[in-house]
Amino acid sequence: MSEIPQFKAVLAHVEARESEVAGQAGRLRDQIAELTTRLREFETESEHLQITRKTLLSLPAPAPVDDPLRAEVPEHPAYQQILTTLADTGHPMRARDICEALDLPILPKNTEGIRSKLKHLVDRGILTEPETGLFTQPHP
């Protein structure tokens, strides 16, 4: 039977197809091995993230940290007047402008006193000084 030409052609076709299928199966095994490795890596990372989340959730809440730069406004009425003036105008002001708004005489002692208070409010983080001598409330 192996002498029949048609039989030889069929056997050759079967052998070629067998070789082709074996090659495809080998490539699929390689892909499966690569995907299995990648899957293990993702599973490991997922486990680590779960452990991290669990650890973070088990930690006690940190005590609130007081921001020393965000201290309360000093009680002296001049500070309240300065902040009210800046809030009313809604734009940055200089010490001299605040003196005028507060109806203080434009004298060096008044201007320097206001400037000192403004600097004190900047140090506490209550005001900002976007440029030298110009004071404003910080933007939220």
Side-chain angles (χ1 to χ4, degrees), residues 24-109:
Q24 287 177 348
R27 286 188 292 281
L28 285 175
R29 274 189 219 92
D30 291 345
Q31 288 177 350
I32 289 171
E34 180 184 337
L35 289 172
T36 302
T37 300
R38 289 181 58 198
L39 177 60
R40 246 182 270 125
E41 290 170 356
F42 283 119
E43 287 173 339
T44 300
E45 183 178 356
S46 177
E47 287 175 21
H48 291 168
L49 291 169
Q50 289 173 7
I51 291 168
T52 300
R53 182 175 34 81
K54 185 177 179 180
T55 301
L56 290 173
L57 289 173
S58 70
L59 292 174
V65 177
D66 291 334
D67 187 354
L69 295 178
R70 284 291 189 194
E72 292 188 27
V73 177
E75 292 184 26
H76 194 277
Y79 289 99
Q80 297 298 326
Q81 292 171 339
I82 290 170
L83 292 174
T84 300
T85 301
L86 282 167
D88 289 347
T89 61
H91 59 79
M93 297 180 77
R94 299 193 179 280
R96 179 183 174 92
D97 301 329
I98 293 174
C99 283
E100 287 176 357
L102 295 176
D103 291 327
L104 294 174
I106 306 302
L107 299 171
K109 70 175 188 168

